Every structure is written in C-alpha cells, then in structure tokens.
Amino acid sequence: CLVGGRTMDYGPFGFLDVYHPLSAKWTGSGEHYGFMNQPNAGYANLSVLVESLLPIIDANGGDSDVVRDEMLNKAQTIFTDTVDEVMRTKMGLDCGGDDSSDSAKEAEELWEEMEQLLKIARGDWTLFWRQLTYVAAEYSPAKSGKESGGSYASDYYDGMLTMLLGDKDTNPFYDALTTENRASLRAWIERWHVALAECYRSASERSGDAPTPPEETMRLANPKYTLGEWMLVDAYSKADPGKSPGNPFPAKGGDYSGVHELFDLCKDPYAEGSAEQHRKYYRRAPDESLRAGGTAFMS
C-alpha cells in the first residue's frame, strides 16, 4: 500500500487520557497497537517494507540477506534510542552526554519506576508530565541559592509532591493514591530532583556556560494541552445537535464555538493559554467520559 501510494486504513485512532502501556481506543486493535507498542508496530511495518524490496536487491547483484540484517539492526537501534531520548527529555534528564552514561541509566530506571505507578494509579499522561514541568520550574537547579543543588530537608520534597498532585482537577492520577503509592511517589520525586540537579551540573561543566534550564526543555516536550475524546465529543455534538443517523449533512444552526476553541487550543499546545482555556481544558477527563462508548473506546 505504501509503495503504491495508497492508504487502505485511516484508523480508528484516539487520544490517550488514562495511561496504560497497551492502551488503544479501538477495541479490536490488539496489544500490538498499544500506546507503548507503537515503536514496535512501526518497526514491524518497516520490516515488511524491507522484505518487499529484497527481490530488487537480489536482481541487481546485491546480497539481500546482508542488506536486510543491516537495515533492521540499524532500525531497531534507532527506535530504541529515540524512545529512550524522548523519556529522558520529558523528565528533564537529557544531559547531552553518552547514552551509556550513568545519568542515562539513572533516567531509564526512573522512567521504569514511574511507568509502573502511572499504570497502577491510572495516571493522566498529559497532566503528569506538565505538572512535573511546573515542579522543575519552581525548584529549578538553574536558580541561585537553595535551589541550585545539594541536600534538602524532607519538607522541601514534600512541597514538590504537593505541587505535582495539583488540585481536584489537575491531580494527574485518576485513582486516589494509596499510602504505599504516595510514599513511592515521594521517594521518586526526591531521586528525580537529585538526578535533575546532577544533570544540569554536568551539562554546565561540559559547556563551560549555563545551559538551557531543564524546565524549558521539559516545557517543549510536555504540552499543556492535548485533545481528548471528551473534548471532541462535546464540540461536535454542539456543532451538529440535530444530525440524524445516516444523514451526511450537518444540522443547521449548530454551535461551532467549541470547535473554534479547540482549533485555537491546538495552535500552541505548549503555551499556558488563557485563564478560560486553563479552566476548561487543563484537567483530567470527566469520569463519565471514561466509561462512555464512542468516547472511552470504539468498536
């Protein structure tokens, strides 16, 4: 299909609210199309493309087996390294050093720990990373004085935890944290911030100058706003309230204000946005939307 220039499947697709590594909106997608399996799905697609080109290589005197192994091994490394880099950047721990360095290994372990908590406590993928960005900004190692590094009292990290958990709408966990999970998150924040300060220090030493504060790179890796099914359903339901089944034409007199609001929101998802945008769209998905067919899942 790709070589012929034809697209045979447009979806369905969806937006991620509650994190799960195998999350997929389409009920028939299977685990191989789950959220964190997307790199593997991309690799599988590439493998098919490579296999389809091997007869051409053989016909022109090449060694298709050698080419296939070389290309797929290279692709596997690229997929793996890219995912690792993305997660380091989201945590503010892309220090610019060797991927095999101690800081890279620490970042990998931190992500593995947080991935488990996000899964267990049903974390909101967008809110968690943006809230962590706010913590990094408030307690930035780029600041002078107490925030520049070193050991801190327990209440210092307690403050980070309080900021991360936000308010009733911006708490990035759909399930109430158990005592054990809260303690794990508190310990994770302390370990993460120590790594953040060390990453900034090592980057400063290598460059000889003050590098970009980690909260700035995190802000550009962690959008404040992403679309969700609950936003879209609300917007198109108001825009076309009288559409009847089987009728391809929209009803007259619909309210398109929600559509325009989402269009404006998508223009700069990394910005703070207006107070109204923050109130309406920087929040967890409503509980009812996480159970409704056509919003929470699609057949």
Side-chain angles (χ1 to χ4, degrees):
C1 297
L2 297 176
V3 174
R6 296 186 296 274
T7 299
M8 307 301 290
D9 186 1
Y10 286 98
F13 67 93
F15 299 94
L16 183 69
D17 292 316
V18 181
Y19 172 77
H20 192 281
L22 302 180
S23 176
K25 290 287 186 180
W26 177 37
T27 57
S29 66
E31 294 182 354
H32 54 290
Y33 286 124
F35 180 65
M36 291 303 291
N37 272 344
Q38 286 296 305
N40 294 332
Y43 178 78
N45 288 339
L46 178 65
S47 298
V48 172
L49 176 61
V50 170
E51 291 286 347
S52 70
L53 297 176
L54 296 184
I56 299 175
I57 295 173
D58 282 332
N60 286 273
D63 188 329
S64 60
D65 290 336
V66 171
V67 171
R68 178 189 58 215
D69 293 345
E70 180 182 349
M71 291 297 100
L72 293 183
N73 288 337
K74 181 179 180 180
Q76 186 66 72
T77 299
I78 291 174
F79 275 101
T80 300
D81 290 349
T82 301
V83 171
D84 290 344
E85 181 182 357
V86 167
M87 300 318 302
R88 288 196 301 270
T89 304
K90 292 181 79 66
M91 290 186 288
L93 301 178
D94 189 13
C95 307
D98 188 345
D99 288 349
S100 63
S101 65
D102 290 340
S103 60
K105 293 177 182 177
E106 175 74 353
E108 182 179 357
E109 291 178 3
L110 283 165
W111 161 236
E112 289 175 353
E113 288 182 17
M114 182 47 57
E115 194 273 339
Q116 289 299 309
L117 185 57
L118 287 170
K119 181 169 60 176
I120 292 170
R122 300 175 66 238
D124 185 291
W125 183 255
T126 300
L127 280 176
F128 175 80
W129 294 114
R130 190 67 175 199
Q131 288 295 110
L132 190 67
T133 301
Y134 291 143
V135 174
E138 180 66 21
Y139 299 89
S140 176
K143 294 179 180 179
S144 60
K146 184 178 181 182
E147 288 86 354
S148 63
S151 300
Y152 305 105
S154 178
D155 59 354
Y156 188 72
Y157 298 108
D158 291 341
M160 295 184 192
L161 177 60
T162 299
M163 174 172 281
L164 177 67
L165 294 180
D167 58 30
K168 64 181 180 64
D169 290 326
T170 60
N171 185 318
F173 295 98
Y174 286 88
D175 290 347
L177 294 177
T178 64
T179 301
E180 181 181 358
N181 287 342
R182 189 180 183 91
S184 295
L185 181 58
R186 164 63 175 74
W188 186 91
I189 286 178
E190 181 171 348
R191 183 179 174 188
W192 162 76
H193 193 263
V194 169
L196 189 74
E198 176 60 25
C199 184
Y200 184 76
R201 184 195 63 77
S202 62
S204 299
E205 290 180 352
R206 281 195 304 273
S207 66
D209 197 1
T212 302
E215 63 269 23
E216 284 303 308
T217 58
M218 290 176 69
R219 184 181 67 83
L220 296 177
N222 300 320
K224 181 174 181 178
Y225 304 105
T226 58
L227 292 177
E229 251 67 41
W230 62 276
M231 302 179 193
L232 296 170
V233 169
D234 181 66
Y236 69 62
S237 295
K238 291 177 179 177
D240 196 6
K243 185 173 181 179
S244 59
N247 179 8
F249 301 103
K252 295 181 179 180
D255 178 5
Y256 283 81
S257 61
V259 175
H260 294 304
E261 284 181 9
L262 294 182
F263 177 68
D264 289 338
L265 196 70
C266 292
K267 289 179 179 178
D268 193 358
Y270 298 93
E272 287 303 307
S274 66
E276 181 68 7
Q277 287 174 326
H278 177 92
R279 182 187 67 81
K280 292 182 67 173
Y281 300 117
Y282 187 64
R283 52 161 296 171
R284 295 192 310 274
D287 290 340
E288 58 272 17
S289 73
L290 299 177
R291 299 186 296 268
T295 304
F297 53 88
M298 306 169 194
S299 60

